Each structure stands twice: as structure tokens, then as C-alpha cells.
Amino acid sequence: MTASQTAEITGLYRYPIKGLTPEPLPRVPLRTGQTLPADRRYAIENGPSGFDPEQPQWKPKIQFLMLARNERLASLDSRFDEATNRLTIRKDGQVVASGDLETAAGRSAIEDYFTANFQPELKGPPKLLSGRDHSFSDVARKVVSIINLNSVRAIETMLGGTAVNPLRFRGNLYVKGWPAWSELDLVGQTLAIGAARLKVVKRIVRCPAVNVDPGTAKRDLEIPPTLSRNLGHMDCGIYAEVIADGEIGVGDTIAVEAPKLV
């Protein structure tokens, strides 16, 4: 991809609780070294993980309830109110749990729901975890994930024309305008979105979570094996670190900055 090729942000999402519902955002401030505000702020521990909220350290996703193994999570509709820290979970349109995640009583209300409804998947008592500004990301760094919609369309072709909901990939930014798979060559390069700058640090290796339809909660596709057979890898999307502050929003242009001449 050349520096002249640009893309447009078509969707912007955060995931306040790891494994639960994505929340669309029109605009969001990016801060150096941080995720989108409240992205993966919380996680539901699936059995003792040793996570210490006073000294938060990265833990692998297998320690938490997650779509890769617990596809029933996709049948829940969750909403997080950042002003009150309240999580509300609905199932089939009915509120099944609600609580302030910064209080013991609120966390207990959420934990009780999963205790009662997620057997036999639980490896121990489910615990709602928070670590101040810690991010329960799949990688041990604070990143923004970017999904190229043309790459998703290419996957549909590999699957014989089967429609693929881009939300399967649980990205923060969804973009159009880049050729399919060209984003994978951006590792090490800098992206400009208004005043914000993001350094692309890693390709995203896909796990079985993308096989789960976010609308039906059914595990109905085999995307990572399909990628492996067709491309020799299981990558779709990129991780980037914020290196300069700025506000971004749907409709904004993403430009690949030309390398600075020394």
C-alpha cells in the first residue's frame, strides 16, 4: 500500500466487558498509549486466574468467559453506562441482570446471573474483574484494532459467497477503501486520523471466536481454517498503538503517513 491510499472509518466500536456486546460510537477521543475509552475495561473471570486489581497484569483470554469457547455470550444484549458504571444485560428483550460494576453489590448481581445460567462452562465461581485503567485485551499491550472491510468481503468469496457479519471480528475501527489484505503490510507504519496518530504494531491472528455469528450466537463458520487454506495464515485485521492524541469519528479519513526522510 502506498502513502497516497486512504481509507474511511465506517464503524467505531468499544467492548466495555470482554466477550459481551459491542457498543457503537459516533466519535471518540484517543489518548497516547491508551485503548478506546472503556474498551475491555472489565472481564468475567472463569475460575481463579490470580488477577490482582491492585497490580493488574495481563492474563490470557482462556482465563475469562469468551466467545471462542462460550458462544452463548452472543445471545446476551449488554449495555454499559459509563456515567454510572452500570451494566444492564438483556436476554430475549428482558432485563436479566443489572448492576454498578464499581460496587460489590453491582458486581455480585452480574456474577449471580452467570453462576445460574452458564453451567457447565464455568471452571469456578465467575468474578467480574476490573483493574482501574487496565485493558483485558487479547494482547499484552493497549491497542486499537482495525478491520479492513474489503478483507471481510474477500473471506465471503472464499466461503462461496456466504455473508460474513464484520462484527464477528470485534474490531474497534472498521474501514473501507483499502485493497483486501493490504492492511497486513502496514505493520511498522503510522496512520493519521486528523490529529491522532497510530503506529501499527501487529497483525491479528484470528481465533475460533470469529466462527460465532453475533446475531444468532451459533458457531456456523470455519473462518480461521478457511484463511489458512487460502492464504497460508489466519490473520485478519491489525493492532495499532496510539502515539498522538486526537478525536476520531465515523466518516473520518485514515491516511498512511509517508516515512520521514532523515
Side-chain angles (χ1 to χ4, degrees):
M1 187 187 299
T2 66
S4 63
Q5 289 180 299
T6 61
E8 178 187 328
I9 299 174
T10 63
L12 188 59
Y13 293 84
R14 70 175 183 181
Y15 304 78
I17 295 82
K18 187 176 184 69
L20 296 186
T21 308
E23 297 186 356
L25 302 166
R27 298 195 67 78
V28 66
L30 293 182
R31 297 293 178 259
T32 301
Q34 299 298 317
T35 64
L36 268 66
D39 190 53
R40 275 86 172 184
R41 179 183 291 177
Y42 303 95
I44 303 165
E45 183 183 60
N46 187 6
S49 69
F51 181 81
D52 181 355
E54 296 303 317
Q55 295 182 311
Q57 303 270 330
W58 180 83
K59 298 288 183 181
K61 61 186 174 184
I62 196 171
Q63 302 283 358
F64 313 111
L65 287 176
M66 57 174 180
L67 286 173
R69 291 192 173 183
N70 314 113
E71 62 266 27
R72 286 199 294 137
L73 293 172
S75 69
L76 304 177
D77 177 22
S78 65
R79 289 293 179 270
F80 178 68
D81 184 340
E82 195 168 2
T84 62
N85 299 309
R86 177 167 292 275
L87 176 68
T88 301
I89 301 176
R90 290 178 172 82
K91 171 77 172 170
D92 299 326
Q94 301 297 313
V95 174
V96 294
S98 182
D100 179 345
L101 300 188
E102 294 301 320
T103 68
R107 291 190 295 271
S108 181
I110 302 301
E111 292 162 357
D112 288 348
Y113 173 77
F114 285 97
T115 298
N117 292 278
F118 272 73
Q119 302 289 350
E121 292 140 288
L122 298 176
K123 301 174 184 176
K127 185 177 181 182
L128 202 296
L129 298 180
S130 171
R132 298 174 185 167
D133 66 346
H134 179 73
S135 171
F136 292 94
S137 171
D138 285 354
V139 293
R141 57 207 304 176
K142 292 184 177 179
V143 292
V144 173
S145 56
I146 304 172
I147 303 299
N148 178 3
L149 291 176
N150 277 332
S151 296
V152 178
R153 301 288 86 82
I155 292 172
E156 292 180 332
T157 299
M158 294 176 190
L159 292 168
T162 299
V164 174
N165 185 338
L167 291 180
R168 287 178 183 259
F169 297 90
R170 297 182 69 78
N172 296 129
L173 278 63
Y174 290 86
V175 305
K176 68 177 183 180
W178 287 336
W181 310 117
S182 61
E183 73 278 12
L184 301 181
D185 297 324
L186 291 176
V187 175
Q189 297 197 54
T190 298
L191 306 178
I193 313 173
R197 296 294 183 272
L198 297 90
K199 177 78 173 289
V200 181
V201 295
K202 195 176 188 298
R203 292 157 59 146
I204 304 176
V205 182
R206 304 320 314 198
C207 73
V210 297
N211 295 331
V212 179
D213 187 312
T216 66
K218 295 186 181 301
R219 196 179 298 274
D220 58 357
L221 294 178
E222 293 290 335
I223 291 176
T226 298
L227 290 170
S228 183
R229 285 193 303 271
N230 286 269
L231 301 177
H233 62 70
M234 296 190 295
D235 303 343
C236 182
I238 48 178
Y239 287 125
E241 291 181 333
V242 181
I243 59 173
D245 296 357
E247 185 177 272
I248 67 171
V250 174
D252 285 358
T253 295
I254 302 179
V256 181
E257 283 200 335
K260 293 181 180 178
L261 300 176
V262 180

Short mmCIF file of all heavy atoms in Angstrom, two decimals, residues 79-131:
data_model
loop_
_atom_site.label_atom_id
_atom_site.label_comp_id
_atom_site.label_asym_id
_atom_site.label_seq_id
_atom_site.Cartn_x
_atom_site.Cartn_y
_atom_site.Cartn_z
N ARG A 79 -25.51 -3.49 27.81
CA ARG A 79 -25.27 -2.06 27.63
C ARG A 79 -24.57 -1.53 28.88
O ARG A 79 -25.01 -1.80 30.00
CB ARG A 79 -26.59 -1.31 27.41
CG ARG A 79 -27.23 -1.58 26.06
CD ARG A 79 -26.41 -1.01 24.91
NE ARG A 79 -27.02 -1.28 23.61
CZ ARG A 79 -26.80 -2.36 22.88
NH1 ARG A 79 -25.96 -3.28 23.34
NH2 ARG A 79 -27.38 -2.53 21.72
N PHE A 80 -23.51 -0.75 28.67
CA PHE A 80 -22.75 -0.18 29.77
C PHE A 80 -22.91 1.33 29.76
O PHE A 80 -22.66 1.98 28.74
CB PHE A 80 -21.28 -0.56 29.64
CG PHE A 80 -20.39 0.03 30.70
CD1 PHE A 80 -20.50 -0.38 32.02
CD2 PHE A 80 -19.45 1.00 30.38
CE1 PHE A 80 -19.69 0.17 33.00
CE2 PHE A 80 -18.63 1.55 31.35
CZ PHE A 80 -18.75 1.14 32.67
N ASP A 81 -23.34 1.89 30.89
CA ASP A 81 -23.47 3.34 31.04
C ASP A 81 -22.22 3.84 31.74
O ASP A 81 -22.04 3.61 32.95
CB ASP A 81 -24.72 3.67 31.86
CG ASP A 81 -24.96 5.16 31.99
OD1 ASP A 81 -24.01 5.95 31.78
OD2 ASP A 81 -26.11 5.55 32.30
N GLU A 82 -21.36 4.53 30.99
CA GLU A 82 -20.07 4.95 31.55
C GLU A 82 -20.24 5.97 32.66
O GLU A 82 -19.42 6.03 33.59
CB GLU A 82 -19.19 5.51 30.44
CG GLU A 82 -17.74 5.64 30.82
CD GLU A 82 -16.84 5.92 29.63
OE1 GLU A 82 -17.35 6.05 28.49
OE2 GLU A 82 -15.62 6.00 29.84
N ALA A 83 -21.30 6.76 32.62
CA ALA A 83 -21.51 7.79 33.64
C ALA A 83 -21.83 7.18 35.00
O ALA A 83 -21.45 7.73 36.05
CB ALA A 83 -22.63 8.73 33.22
N THR A 84 -22.52 6.03 35.01
CA THR A 84 -22.94 5.41 36.27
C THR A 84 -22.24 4.08 36.52
O THR A 84 -22.44 3.48 37.59
CB THR A 84 -24.45 5.16 36.27
OG1 THR A 84 -24.78 4.24 35.22
CG2 THR A 84 -25.22 6.46 36.05
N ASN A 85 -21.44 3.63 35.55
CA ASN A 85 -20.76 2.32 35.63
C ASN A 85 -21.75 1.16 35.71
O ASN A 85 -21.39 0.07 36.18
CB ASN A 85 -19.80 2.26 36.83
CG ASN A 85 -18.71 3.29 36.74
OD1 ASN A 85 -18.03 3.39 35.73
ND2 ASN A 85 -18.54 4.07 37.79
N ARG A 86 -22.96 1.37 35.23
CA ARG A 86 -23.98 0.33 35.32
C ARG A 86 -24.01 -0.52 34.05
O ARG A 86 -24.11 0.01 32.94
CB ARG A 86 -25.37 0.93 35.57
CG ARG A 86 -26.51 -0.12 35.61
CD ARG A 86 -27.78 0.45 36.17
NE ARG A 86 -27.64 0.75 37.59
CZ ARG A 86 -27.81 -0.15 38.58
NH1 ARG A 86 -28.15 -1.40 38.29
NH2 ARG A 86 -27.66 0.21 39.83
N LEU A 87 -23.94 -1.83 34.26
CA LEU A 87 -24.11 -2.79 33.16
C LEU A 87 -25.51 -3.38 33.25
O LEU A 87 -25.94 -3.83 34.32
CB LEU A 87 -23.08 -3.92 33.28
CG LEU A 87 -23.21 -5.04 32.25
CD1 LEU A 87 -22.89 -4.54 30.85
CD2 LEU A 87 -22.32 -6.23 32.62
N THR A 88 -26.22 -3.35 32.13
CA THR A 88 -27.54 -3.98 32.04
C THR A 88 -27.49 -5.06 30.98
O THR A 88 -27.07 -4.80 29.85
CB THR A 88 -28.62 -2.93 31.70
OG1 THR A 88 -28.63 -1.91 32.71
CG2 THR A 88 -29.99 -3.57 31.63
N ILE A 89 -27.91 -6.26 31.35
CA ILE A 89 -27.90 -7.40 30.43
C ILE A 89 -29.33 -7.82 30.15
O ILE A 89 -30.13 -8.02 31.08
CB ILE A 89 -27.11 -8.59 31.01
CG1 ILE A 89 -25.66 -8.18 31.30
CG2 ILE A 89 -27.15 -9.78 30.05
CD1 ILE A 89 -24.85 -9.28 31.96
N ARG A 90 -29.66 -7.94 28.86
CA ARG A 90 -30.97 -8.42 28.44
C ARG A 90 -30.83 -9.74 27.69
O ARG A 90 -29.85 -9.96 26.99
CB ARG A 90 -31.66 -7.39 27.55
CG ARG A 90 -32.10 -6.13 28.27
CD ARG A 90 -32.72 -5.11 27.34
NE ARG A 90 -33.30 -3.99 28.06
CZ ARG A 90 -32.61 -2.94 28.50
NH1 ARG A 90 -31.29 -2.87 28.25
NH2 ARG A 90 -33.20 -1.96 29.17
N LYS A 91 -31.83 -10.57 27.86
CA LYS A 91 -31.92 -11.83 27.12
C LYS A 91 -33.33 -11.91 26.55
O LYS A 91 -34.31 -11.82 27.29
CB LYS A 91 -31.65 -13.01 28.08
CG LYS A 91 -31.93 -14.38 27.51
CD LYS A 91 -30.84 -14.85 26.59
CE LYS A 91 -31.07 -16.32 26.21
NZ LYS A 91 -30.18 -16.76 25.15
N ASP A 92 -33.41 -12.05 25.22
CA ASP A 92 -34.72 -12.09 24.54
C ASP A 92 -35.56 -10.86 24.91
O ASP A 92 -36.78 -10.95 25.09
CB ASP A 92 -35.47 -13.37 24.89
CG ASP A 92 -34.72 -14.62 24.46
OD1 ASP A 92 -34.04 -14.58 23.41
OD2 ASP A 92 -34.78 -15.64 25.18
N GLY A 93 -34.90 -9.70 25.02
CA GLY A 93 -35.59 -8.46 25.27
C GLY A 93 -35.90 -8.16 26.72
O GLY A 93 -36.35 -7.05 27.04
N GLN A 94 -35.65 -9.10 27.62
CA GLN A 94 -35.95 -8.91 29.03
C GLN A 94 -34.67 -8.68 29.83
O GLN A 94 -33.66 -9.36 29.60
CB GLN A 94 -36.68 -10.14 29.59
CG GLN A 94 -37.99 -10.47 28.89
CD GLN A 94 -39.02 -9.36 29.04
OE1 GLN A 94 -39.24 -8.85 30.14
NE2 GLN A 94 -39.65 -8.99 27.93
N VAL A 95 -34.72 -7.73 30.78
CA VAL A 95 -33.56 -7.49 31.65
C VAL A 95 -33.38 -8.69 32.56
O VAL A 95 -34.31 -9.09 33.29
CB VAL A 95 -33.75 -6.21 32.48
CG1 VAL A 95 -32.60 -6.05 33.48
CG2 VAL A 95 -33.82 -4.98 31.58
N VAL A 96 -32.18 -9.28 32.52
CA VAL A 96 -31.90 -10.45 33.36
C VAL A 96 -30.87 -10.15 34.44
O VAL A 96 -30.74 -10.91 35.41
CB VAL A 96 -31.42 -11.64 32.50
CG1 VAL A 96 -32.54 -12.13 31.59
CG2 VAL A 96 -30.19 -11.28 31.67
N ALA A 97 -30.14 -9.05 34.30
CA ALA A 97 -29.17 -8.67 35.33
C ALA A 97 -28.79 -7.21 35.13
O ALA A 97 -28.73 -6.72 34.00
CB ALA A 97 -27.92 -9.54 35.27
N SER A 98 -28.51 -6.52 36.23
CA SER A 98 -28.11 -5.13 36.15
C SER A 98 -27.34 -4.79 37.42
O SER A 98 -27.70 -5.25 38.51
CB SER A 98 -29.32 -4.22 36.00
OG SER A 98 -28.93 -2.86 35.87
N GLY A 99 -26.28 -3.99 37.28
CA GLY A 99 -25.54 -3.60 38.46
C GLY A 99 -24.44 -2.61 38.16
O GLY A 99 -23.93 -2.55 37.03
N ASP A 100 -24.09 -1.82 39.15
CA ASP A 100 -22.97 -0.88 39.09
C ASP A 100 -21.68 -1.69 39.27
O ASP A 100 -21.45 -2.27 40.33
CB ASP A 100 -23.13 0.16 40.21
CG ASP A 100 -21.99 1.18 40.24
OD1 ASP A 100 -20.93 0.94 39.62
OD2 ASP A 100 -22.15 2.20 40.93
N LEU A 101 -20.85 -1.72 38.23
CA LEU A 101 -19.67 -2.58 38.25
C LEU A 101 -18.57 -2.07 39.15
O LEU A 101 -17.57 -2.76 39.35
CB LEU A 101 -19.14 -2.75 36.82
CG LEU A 101 -20.12 -3.37 35.82
CD1 LEU A 101 -19.41 -3.67 34.50
CD2 LEU A 101 -20.76 -4.63 36.38
N GLU A 102 -18.74 -0.87 39.71
CA GLU A 102 -17.76 -0.35 40.65
C GLU A 102 -18.20 -0.53 42.10
O GLU A 102 -17.57 0.01 43.01
CB GLU A 102 -17.46 1.12 40.35
CG GLU A 102 -16.76 1.33 39.01
CD GLU A 102 -15.43 0.60 38.90
OE1 GLU A 102 -14.68 0.58 39.90
OE2 GLU A 102 -15.15 0.03 37.83
N THR A 103 -19.27 -1.30 42.31
CA THR A 103 -19.70 -1.62 43.67
C THR A 103 -19.75 -3.14 43.83
O THR A 103 -20.00 -3.87 42.86
CB THR A 103 -21.08 -1.05 44.00
OG1 THR A 103 -22.08 -1.74 43.21
CG2 THR A 103 -21.14 0.44 43.70
N ALA A 104 -19.54 -3.60 45.06
CA ALA A 104 -19.58 -5.05 45.33
C ALA A 104 -20.96 -5.62 45.02
O ALA A 104 -21.08 -6.72 44.45
CB ALA A 104 -19.18 -5.32 46.77
N ALA A 105 -22.00 -4.89 45.41
CA ALA A 105 -23.37 -5.37 45.18
C ALA A 105 -23.67 -5.46 43.68
O ALA A 105 -24.30 -6.42 43.21
CB ALA A 105 -24.38 -4.46 45.87
N GLY A 106 -23.22 -4.46 42.93
CA GLY A 106 -23.47 -4.48 41.48
C GLY A 106 -22.74 -5.61 40.79
O GLY A 106 -23.31 -6.29 39.92
N ARG A 107 -21.49 -5.82 41.16
CA ARG A 107 -20.74 -6.93 40.57
C ARG A 107 -21.37 -8.26 40.94
O ARG A 107 -21.45 -9.17 40.11
CB ARG A 107 -19.28 -6.88 41.03
CG ARG A 107 -18.50 -5.70 40.45
CD ARG A 107 -17.02 -5.81 40.72
NE ARG A 107 -16.71 -5.75 42.15
CZ ARG A 107 -16.46 -4.62 42.81
NH1 ARG A 107 -16.52 -3.46 42.18
NH2 ARG A 107 -16.16 -4.65 44.09
N SER A 108 -21.83 -8.38 42.18
CA SER A 108 -22.46 -9.62 42.62
C SER A 108 -23.72 -9.93 41.82
O SER A 108 -23.99 -11.10 41.49
CB SER A 108 -22.80 -9.51 44.11
OG SER A 108 -23.40 -10.70 44.57
N ALA A 109 -24.48 -8.91 41.46
CA ALA A 109 -25.70 -9.12 40.67
C ALA A 109 -25.37 -9.72 39.31
O ALA A 109 -26.08 -10.61 38.82
CB ALA A 109 -26.45 -7.80 40.51
N ILE A 110 -24.29 -9.25 38.70
CA ILE A 110 -23.87 -9.79 37.40
C ILE A 110 -23.31 -11.20 37.57
O ILE A 110 -23.65 -12.12 36.80
CB ILE A 110 -22.82 -8.86 36.76
CG1 ILE A 110 -23.37 -7.45 36.58
CG2 ILE A 110 -22.37 -9.45 35.42
CD1 ILE A 110 -24.61 -7.33 35.74
N GLU A 111 -22.49 -11.39 38.59
CA GLU A 111 -21.90 -12.71 38.84
C GLU A 111 -22.97 -13.76 39.11
O GLU A 111 -22.86 -14.90 38.64
CB GLU A 111 -20.93 -12.61 40.02
CG GLU A 111 -19.70 -11.77 39.72
CD GLU A 111 -18.98 -11.30 40.97
OE1 GLU A 111 -19.46 -11.58 42.09
OE2 GLU A 111 -17.92 -10.66 40.82
N ASP A 112 -24.01 -13.38 39.86
CA ASP A 112 -25.08 -14.33 40.17
C ASP A 112 -25.78 -14.82 38.91
O ASP A 112 -26.16 -16.00 38.80
CB ASP A 112 -26.11 -13.69 41.12
CG ASP A 112 -25.58 -13.50 42.53
OD1 ASP A 112 -24.51 -14.07 42.84
OD2 ASP A 112 -26.24 -12.78 43.31
N TYR A 113 -25.94 -13.91 37.94
CA TYR A 113 -26.59 -14.32 36.69
C TYR A 113 -25.76 -15.38 35.97
O TYR A 113 -26.28 -16.41 35.52
CB TYR A 113 -26.82 -13.12 35.76
CG TYR A 113 -27.32 -13.56 34.41
CD1 TYR A 113 -28.64 -13.93 34.23
CD2 TYR A 113 -26.45 -13.68 33.31
CE1 TYR A 113 -29.11 -14.39 33.00
CE2 TYR A 113 -26.91 -14.13 32.09
CZ TYR A 113 -28.23 -14.49 31.94
OH TYR A 113 -28.69 -14.96 30.73
N PHE A 114 -24.45 -15.15 35.87
CA PHE A 114 -23.61 -16.11 35.16
C PHE A 114 -23.47 -17.41 35.94
O PHE A 114 -23.41 -18.49 35.34
CB PHE A 114 -22.25 -15.49 34.84
CG PHE A 114 -22.31 -14.51 33.71
CD1 PHE A 114 -22.41 -13.15 33.95
CD2 PHE A 114 -22.31 -14.95 32.40
CE1 PHE A 114 -22.50 -12.24 32.90
CE2 PHE A 114 -22.40 -14.06 31.33
CZ PHE A 114 -22.49 -12.70 31.59
N THR A 115 -23.46 -17.34 37.26
CA THR A 115 -23.43 -18.56 38.07
C THR A 115 -24.65 -19.42 37.79
O THR A 115 -24.55 -20.65 37.64
CB THR A 115 -23.39 -18.21 39.57
OG1 THR A 115 -22.19 -17.48 39.85
CG2 THR A 115 -23.41 -19.47 40.43
N ALA A 116 -25.80 -18.80 37.67
CA ALA A 116 -27.05 -19.54 37.49
C ALA A 116 -27.26 -20.01 36.05
O ALA A 116 -27.96 -21.02 35.83
CB ALA A 116 -28.23 -18.66 37.91
N ASN A 117 -26.65 -19.32 35.07
CA ASN A 117 -27.02 -19.58 33.68
C ASN A 117 -25.89 -20.10 32.79
O ASN A 117 -26.14 -20.41 31.62
CB ASN A 117 -27.60 -18.30 33.07
CG ASN A 117 -28.93 -17.93 33.66
OD1 ASN A 117 -29.97 -18.45 33.28
ND2 ASN A 117 -28.91 -17.02 34.64
N PHE A 118 -24.66 -20.19 33.29
CA PHE A 118 -23.57 -20.61 32.42
C PHE A 118 -22.87 -21.88 32.91
O PHE A 118 -21.69 -22.08 32.67
CB PHE A 118 -22.57 -19.46 32.22
CG PHE A 118 -22.95 -18.58 31.05
CD1 PHE A 118 -24.03 -17.72 31.15
CD2 PHE A 118 -22.28 -18.66 29.84
CE1 PHE A 118 -24.41 -16.94 30.07
CE2 PHE A 118 -22.65 -17.88 28.76
CZ PHE A 118 -23.72 -17.02 28.88
N GLN A 119 -23.62 -22.75 33.54
CA GLN A 119 -23.14 -24.10 33.80
C GLN A 119 -23.40 -24.92 32.54
O GLN A 119 -24.39 -24.69 31.85
CB GLN A 119 -23.90 -24.71 34.99
CG GLN A 119 -23.81 -23.93 36.28
CD GLN A 119 -22.42 -23.98 36.91
OE1 GLN A 119 -21.57 -24.77 36.47
NE2 GLN A 119 -22.20 -23.16 37.92
N PRO A 120 -22.57 -25.92 32.18
CA PRO A 120 -21.38 -26.38 32.89
C PRO A 120 -20.08 -25.73 32.37
O PRO A 120 -19.00 -26.27 32.58
CB PRO A 120 -21.38 -27.86 32.58
CG PRO A 120 -21.91 -27.93 31.18
CD PRO A 120 -22.91 -26.80 31.05
N GLU A 121 -20.18 -24.58 31.70
CA GLU A 121 -18.99 -23.94 31.13
C GLU A 121 -18.05 -23.36 32.18
O GLU A 121 -16.87 -23.13 31.92
CB GLU A 121 -19.40 -22.83 30.17
CG GLU A 121 -20.07 -23.34 28.91
CD GLU A 121 -21.24 -22.47 28.49
OE1 GLU A 121 -22.28 -22.50 29.17
OE2 GLU A 121 -21.11 -21.76 27.49
N LEU A 122 -18.58 -23.12 33.38
CA LEU A 122 -17.78 -22.46 34.41
C LEU A 122 -16.76 -23.42 35.03
O LEU A 122 -17.06 -24.56 35.34
CB LEU A 122 -18.70 -21.90 35.49
CG LEU A 122 -19.69 -20.82 35.04
CD1 LEU A 122 -20.60 -20.43 36.19
CD2 LEU A 122 -18.95 -19.61 34.50
N LYS A 123 -15.56 -22.88 35.21
CA LYS A 123 -14.48 -23.64 35.85
C LYS A 123 -14.35 -23.29 37.33
O LYS A 123 -13.50 -23.82 38.03
CB LYS A 123 -13.15 -23.35 35.14
CG LYS A 123 -13.16 -23.70 33.67
CD LYS A 123 -11.87 -23.24 33.01
CE LYS A 123 -11.89 -23.50 31.51
NZ LYS A 123 -10.67 -22.98 30.85
N GLY A 124 -15.17 -22.39 37.78
CA GLY A 124 -15.17 -21.91 39.15
C GLY A 124 -16.14 -20.75 39.23
O GLY A 124 -16.77 -20.39 38.23
N PRO A 125 -16.27 -20.13 40.39
CA PRO A 125 -17.20 -19.00 40.51
C PRO A 125 -16.83 -17.87 39.55
O PRO A 125 -15.68 -17.42 39.54
CB PRO A 125 -17.03 -18.56 41.97
CG PRO A 125 -16.46 -19.75 42.67
CD PRO A 125 -15.60 -20.45 41.66
N PRO A 126 -17.78 -17.40 38.74
CA PRO A 126 -17.48 -16.26 37.86
C PRO A 126 -17.29 -15.00 38.68
O PRO A 126 -18.02 -14.76 39.65
CB PRO A 126 -18.72 -16.16 36.96
CG PRO A 126 -19.82 -16.77 37.77
CD PRO A 126 -19.18 -17.84 38.61
N LYS A 127 -16.31 -14.21 38.31
CA LYS A 127 -16.00 -12.99 39.06
C LYS A 127 -15.83 -11.84 38.09
O LYS A 127 -15.08 -11.95 37.11
CB LYS A 127 -14.73 -13.20 39.89
CG LYS A 127 -14.38 -12.03 40.79
CD LYS A 127 -13.16 -12.35 41.63
CE LYS A 127 -12.80 -11.20 42.56
NZ LYS A 127 -11.58 -11.49 43.35
N LEU A 128 -16.52 -10.73 38.33
CA LEU A 128 -16.41 -9.54 37.49
C LEU A 128 -15.14 -8.80 37.88
O LEU A 128 -15.00 -8.34 39.01
CB LEU A 128 -17.64 -8.66 37.70
CG LEU A 128 -18.04 -7.64 36.63
CD1 LEU A 128 -17.00 -6.58 36.47
CD2 LEU A 128 -18.34 -8.32 35.32
N LEU A 129 -14.20 -8.70 36.94
CA LEU A 129 -12.91 -8.10 37.22
C LEU A 129 -12.78 -6.71 36.62
O LEU A 129 -13.27 -6.45 35.52
CB LEU A 129 -11.79 -8.98 36.64
CG LEU A 129 -11.64 -10.40 37.19
CD1 LEU A 129 -10.49 -11.10 36.50
CD2 LEU A 129 -11.44 -10.38 38.70
N SER A 130 -12.10 -5.86 37.36
CA SER A 130 -11.73 -4.53 36.88
C SER A 130 -10.35 -4.22 37.41
O SER A 130 -9.99 -4.64 38.50
CB SER A 130 -12.74 -3.48 37.39
OG SER A 130 -12.29 -2.18 37.10
N GLY A 131 -9.57 -3.47 36.63
CA GLY A 131 -8.23 -3.12 37.06
C GLY A 131 -7.90 -1.68 36.79
O GLY A 131 -6.90 -1.38 36.13
#
